[in-house]
Every structure is written in structure tokens, then in C-alpha cells.
Amino acid sequence: MAFLVAGTLQVASQVADAQESLGRKGKYSVKDPRVALALCSPEVSASTAALLEGVFQTLGFESCQRQEASVQGFRGELTRFQEQLDAHGGSVGCAFVALVARPWQLRQSQQLVRELSRCKALWGRPKVFLLLSSAPGAVPEPGAFLASLGELCGRRPHWSLLQLLTEVFSRTAEESAGAAYCPVLRSSLRGALCLGNVEPWGPEPEPGPSAQYDLSGARAALLLAVTQGRLGAQHDVEALGGLCQALGFETTLRTDPTAQTFQEEMAQFRKRLDAHRGPVSCALVALMAHGGPQGQLLGADGQERQLEVLVQELSHCGALRGRPKIFLLQACRGGHRDAGVGPAALPWFRRWLRAPPATPSQADVLHVCTDVQGRSSRGPTPRSPNQADVLMVYAAAEGCVAYRDKKGSDFIQTLVEVLRADPKADLLELMTEVSWGVVGVAWGEGLDSAFFSAPVFCSPPSHPFAEGGSPLPSET
């Protein structure tokens, strides 16, 4: 019994620590020691490695390790890093891992992200992964990218890391005009992450990067939702449709599309936008259906359609070149459930005893790929200029199920609530609030946070756009 009580108190303490780590106003507190690790393949120059260590120190990381290893040895080095943190026994404010190698050697980096997510010392703490290319002629050159990031952080200590990266990406895009440069950012952060030497709840930060999308033209939305066999899906459709109307989007709704209809509706949507006489400022596409581990969406007929094919369709829209294109995906991405998921039918005290040690393992991760020329892709070529200005927001992390109940999904319902409350705020900042809201609702069941990726933003969206809930039916 003593062991049970001790374990229960430890769980409660860890959950409280995770809540406290976000501080006030949904911002991470990084007052505890920050740790950094650089894993470099043998061909990485000494000057790049030294510059990386200097940037870590500029960003306030007290512990900075650098290991040279083959790419095959990265996972072993990361395991040792994780074991060191857990053996230390103290709290960690933030972990920053930089992987420097040839871009095609980093295709399986998601496995390394999962490896560090097992670290108990980092439960509820932000984990940043930065992938830098060591290929000759890489855009951006690793040293230039790191110098720009460090310099900007020193001048804008109140900016969140997402704001800083947006500005760095914008500068890089300007300097490499015509190079079809397309970085990728993936995030499940649940709050703003400020690495400057200021308290996260200090004075209000300065406005974000000055470059913003011009949203004075027409706005269009396409909602494709399978409602058959998806309890509560109609509530998501109604909530999202009302939000689009409130934000001035001309909205097209199609329910229970077949797999072929998904493709046809996307093609018709693109044609309508290209035929529009005036400028088009923004497009929003919401796809709500059952899903699969390879990114498939299942139509009402049970047939599959690959998500990448639908994204490619809109990427060919001439009216949206240089304009933000937002995809919301309310669907499963696999059959895994994140750490700590238990039956919702259990009494509350048994659910509490079986609760996850802290937050779900897929939360609190920022994954930045600065050069993705060689990464694998089942869809469009990553460096195609048509892939710029795309924001994809998922209801679950890669490989995990998404949830909904009779009232709808936590993801869609939380997203609508957040955007209605502050419709003029920065999009990426609002998405972190959505992640925080989803985890806040789902903490007792151990559900995953929302997850978003931006296969580029040369300037930050100035307008918001972006399945959690009681685990009744999942989307698989």
C-alpha cells in the first residue's frame, strides 16, 4: 500500500510539474537547466560544429555536448543522452538536439524524436530537434542559419522560437530567391517557447515578424466530411462551418464524399479559385474522415485516397501562389495510442491511478528541417516552389489514433473556440494554444496533443487558421 501511495503521489507531482512548466499565459518556463546535444556526422566541418556550440550558449544552454558519430550511431548517442538526463535526477527546462548530416541520411529522424520523448526528465518539457544539412551548397548554409538564429534571439529575447524561426526562414527565402527553398517545421508544442534571458511572463513581447500575408482579397474554404459511422462528426461540421462564415470565408461543404469525390471536389475547388476575377488571399481545406498509417483518408465508400495527392491538387492553384493554404485533418494517422491511455469507463479514481506519468509522449516537440532536399516523400517534391505557404494541422501525431465522441472531437471543438476568442492573433501562436487546450481536456485519458506542420512559411500568417476527446470511437 505504501508503494501504491508513493507512486500515486509521484504521478500527481509530475502532472503538477508539467502544468507549472507552461507557466502563465500558456508559455513554457525554462528556468531549470537547459541541455543541448549536437550529433555530427564525420564530414561536418569543425567550424560548423564550433558555431553550433556557440549558438547553444547564446541561447542560454548551460550544458552543451557534441558527439561525432555515423548517422547509424545517432540513436545510440541519443539513448545515452537520455539516460544521463534521467540519472541526473533533477528537472530540465528544455532540451535542444541538433542533427548535422547529409539530408538523405536524416529521413528517419522521427525515430530519434520518439527516443528522446521517452526521457522522464523531459516529460512536459519542450524538446527541440534541428536538422541541418552538411551537403555542399546547402540552402541555407548551416553556419549562416545558426548565426542568424542566434543573432535574432539576442535582439528579440521576448519572441517565441516559432516567431524567430519564421523570421529566419523569411530572410533565407529573400536571400535565395528562385532557389525553390522549402524548409519544414513540425510542432506539437503546447505553449510559447521563449529562449531569451527573460521571464516568460514578463513584459508583453514585441509584435512578431513584420512581414505578413495580405488578406484583403477573397477567402475560400472547402469542408469535406465523412459523417457516416463517425459519431459526433456532424457537430464538428457545424462548428467549423460557423467559424468559416464568421471569418468571412466563402464556404463549400460536402458530406460523405467517396474517395473519388475527395479528389474531384479538390479539383473543382482549385478551378473555382483560378477562375475568380479578383485576388484570392487564403484557402482553407478541412478533411474529416477515418484515416490510416500511411496518410490515407477513407471515403464514405471505404476506399482510400492519399492526402499528398489532395495537397498537390491545391498546390497547383495559380490564384494561391504565394498565398497561405491551410489544411485541417481530423483523422487517424495510425493505430497507436500514446502513453497512458486507459479505458474511459473506469471510475475516476482508477483512471487517475492509471493516468500517464505526465503529458503524452508526443507532445512538446518542435522538429525543424532546414534543408529537406533529400528527404523521402510520398507526395510532391519537397523543394517545389508550389509547396511553399502551406500549413497542415493534424488532430494527432504520426502513427497515432485520433478521438471524438458524441459531442464532436476535442481538436475541432477546441480549435473553433480558440479562433473565435482571438481571430486576429498569429496563426502559429494560436495553434500552440489549441494543442494546450486539447491536452488540457484529455489529460485524464492520456490523449495526444494536436500536431501541426508548416512545409514553409516565408512570412507568418497574420490571420488564424488553423481527433482528442473522451475515447469512445477512434478514427481508425
Side-chain angles (χ1 to χ4, degrees):
M1 182 63 182
F3 173 79
L4 173 63
V5 172
T8 300
L9 292 177
Q10 182 180 16
V11 168
S13 174
Q14 289 171 336
V15 170
D17 286 345
Q19 289 176 317
E20 191 276 334
S21 74
L22 285 178
R24 308 177 201 173
K25 299 183 180 180
K27 296 183 180 181
Y28 288 100
S29 172
V30 289
K31 60 185 179 182
D32 291 320
R34 309 175 193 179
V35 295
L37 172 66
L39 297 179
C40 305
S41 58
E43 70 273 8
V44 175
S45 67
S47 59
T48 296
L51 181 58
L52 185 56
E53 293 180 12
V55 170
F56 283 155
Q57 295 174 359
T58 300
L59 296 177
F61 285 83
E62 296 88 344
S63 173
C64 305
Q65 300 183 31
R66 177 168 63 91
Q67 301 293 337
E68 181 178 303
S70 65
V71 175
Q72 292 75 14
F74 278 7
R75 186 166 185 174
E77 294 292 344
L78 198 58
T79 298
R80 282 188 281 275
F81 182 64
Q82 169 198 330
E83 292 171 349
Q84 290 174 6
L85 295 181
D86 284 336
H88 182 264
S91 298
V92 177
C94 176
F96 199 127
V97 176
L99 309 175
V100 191
R102 302 300 173 101
W104 57 87
Q105 296 176 317
L106 297 173
R107 294 175 181 176
Q108 305 302 321
S109 60
Q110 194 62 32
Q111 296 178 0
L112 302 178
V113 173
R114 295 193 185 100
E115 188 71 28
L116 194 60
S117 293
R118 298 189 181 99
C119 180
K120 296 180 180 179
L122 289 171
W123 277 337
R125 310 293 177 172
K127 297 167 279 288
V128 181
F129 281 79
L130 175 62
L131 276 61
L132 290 168
S133 173
S134 62
V139 180
E141 193 276 325
F145 177 87
L146 293 171
S148 180
L149 179 60
E151 178 266 336
L152 191 60
C153 185
R155 291 196 298 109
R156 298 288 186 265
H158 289 292
W159 280 12
S160 72
L161 187 55
L162 288 179
Q163 290 177 313
L164 293 170
L165 289 170
T166 301
E167 182 73 11
V168 173
F169 288 166
S170 179
R171 292 181 181 182
T172 304
E174 292 175 357
E175 295 170 358
S176 59
Y181 166 59
C182 186
V184 172
L185 180 151
R186 303 184 185 95
S187 174
S188 60
L189 292 180
R190 299 173 298 122
L193 174 57
C194 298
L195 295 177
N197 190 25
V198 294
E199 292 291 343
W201 47 82
E204 287 299 316
E206 303 172 40
S210 56
Q212 295 186 336
Y213 290 109
D214 178 6
L215 298 179
S216 60
R219 305 172 187 178
L222 175 64
L223 312 184
L224 301 177
V226 175
T227 60
Q228 296 177 5
R230 298 180 64 243
L231 183 66
Q234 189 60 39
H235 291 290
D236 287 345
V237 171
E238 294 170 357
L240 201 52
L243 175 67
C244 290
Q245 182 178 7
L247 295 177
F249 280 75
E250 181 180 338
T251 305
T252 300
L253 169 65
R254 297 289 184 267
T255 57
D256 297 318
T258 64
Q260 182 61 31
T261 304
F262 269 110
Q263 181 73 44
E264 293 172 351
E265 289 293 340
M266 287 295 298
Q268 289 298 320
F269 185 60
R270 174 179 63 83
K271 291 178 181 177
R272 288 197 300 272
L273 295 179
D274 280 335
H276 192 273
R277 293 188 177 182
V280 178
S281 291
C282 178
L284 167 71
V285 175
L287 305 172
M288 296 173 276
H290 292 294
Q294 302 301 318
Q296 315 97 310
L297 291 175
L298 274 64
D301 57 352
Q303 299 301 306
E304 297 179 355
R305 182 62 59 182
Q306 287 293 335
L307 170 62
E308 289 85 351
V309 175
L310 304 180
V311 176
Q312 176 84 331
E313 186 72 50
L314 198 59
S315 295
H316 287 156
C317 179
L320 289 174
R321 186 162 299 167
R323 306 294 184 180
K325 297 167 278 288
I326 299 97
F327 290 83
L328 306 180
L329 293 111
Q330 176 59 45
C332 274
R333 305 180 68 195
H336 297 294
R337 286 171 169 78
D338 224 333
V341 173
L346 292 176
W348 71 267
F349 57 89
R350 292 184 63 191
R351 292 205 310 272
W352 185 66
L353 292 177
R354 295 183 57 169
T359 56
S361 63
Q362 295 296 320
D364 310 296
V365 175
L366 178 62
H367 190 177
V368 184
C369 308
T370 63
D371 187 337
V372 294
Q373 182 176 15
R375 79 178 179 96
S376 62
S377 175
R378 294 183 295 272
T381 304
R383 288 179 67 89
S384 164
N386 290 330
Q387 286 302 290
D389 311 294
V390 175
L391 178 69
M392 304 184 70
V393 189
Y394 300 87
E398 183 178 352
C400 294
V401 299
Y403 297 88
R404 88 195 113 70
D405 60 19
K406 61 183 179 181
K407 297 181 181 179
S409 64
D410 283 342
F411 169 60
I412 294 295
Q413 298 297 324
T414 302
L415 182 144
V416 170
E417 180 182 349
V418 168
L419 298 188
R420 279 189 176 276
D422 195 1
K424 295 184 179 180
D426 177 72
L427 172 61
L428 297 183
E429 297 297 328
L430 288 176
M431 288 304 100
T432 62
E433 187 176 343
V434 171
S435 287
W436 167 243
V438 170
V439 172
V441 171
W443 225 322
E445 286 91 18
L447 305 182
D448 196 16
S449 65
F451 178 98
F452 63 89
S453 69
V456 117
F457 37 84
C458 295
S459 56
S462 60
H463 195 285
F465 261 95
E467 192 150 86
S470 300
L472 293 174
S474 69
E475 293 289 14
T476 42

